């Protein structure tokens, strides 16, 4: 039977299961792009750094939970390297293209590692 919102009970359960790979990849990409956006639009770099660190912490928690310590350390290092690498890349291709490039690379790497770890465990 449909609920008042027109969604069956099964659909609500399915919607609640967001793959861990998507959460981690989204947090990592969102932290890089969001941190830069906040820093640029507010002209307060520390605010961008807070967003970058908070999203990185969310992603690292998911990386640890899904892939273990080695995956979390490696992907956290990739996250920090992407942040650092976006600066010289921005001089070559522009700020936003550089941010989106490194965010996409980290998200793709995160997705690959966490998806592989989940399937290895027989999970998601």
């Amino acid at each position: 039977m449909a609920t008042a919102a027109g969604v069956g009970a099964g659909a609500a359960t399915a919607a609640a299961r967001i793959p861990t790979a998507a959460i981690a990849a989204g947090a990592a990409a969102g932290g890089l792009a969001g941190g830069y956006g906040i820093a640029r639009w507010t002209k307060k770099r520390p605010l961008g750094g807070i967003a970058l660190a908070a999203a990185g912490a969310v992603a690292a928690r998911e990386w640890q939970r899904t892939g273990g310590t080695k995956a979390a350390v490696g992907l956290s290092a990739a996250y920090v390297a992407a942040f650092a690498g976006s600066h010289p890349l921005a001089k070559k291709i522009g700020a936003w293209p550089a941010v989106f490039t490194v965010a996409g690379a980290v998200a793709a790497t995160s997705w690959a590692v966490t998806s592989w770890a989940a399937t290895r465990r027989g999970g998601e």
Side-chain angles (χ1 to χ4, degrees), residues 9-123:
T13 303
R17 281 190 34 117
I18 299 171
T20 300
I23 295 169
L32 289 163
Y36 174 69
I38 290 168
R40 181 172 179 152
W41 289 319
T42 65
K43 299 191 183 347
K44 297 190 185 320
R45 291 177 68 150
L47 288 179
I50 290 169
L52 179 78
V58 169
R61 185 189 76 224
E62 293 300 319
W63 294 329
Q64 167 65 37
R65 193 170 67 79
T66 303
T69 302
K70 287 182 182 179
V73 169
L75 289 167
S76 295
Y79 185 74
V80 172
F83 168 70
S86 68
H87 293 82
L89 184 59
K91 292 179 181 179
K92 295 182 185 301
I93 64 173
W96 278 112
V99 169
F100 289 137
T101 298
V102 300
V106 169
T109 303
S110 171
W111 183 277
V113 170
T114 55
S115 292
W116 177 79
T119 56
R120 189 186 68 194
R121 285 192 341 261

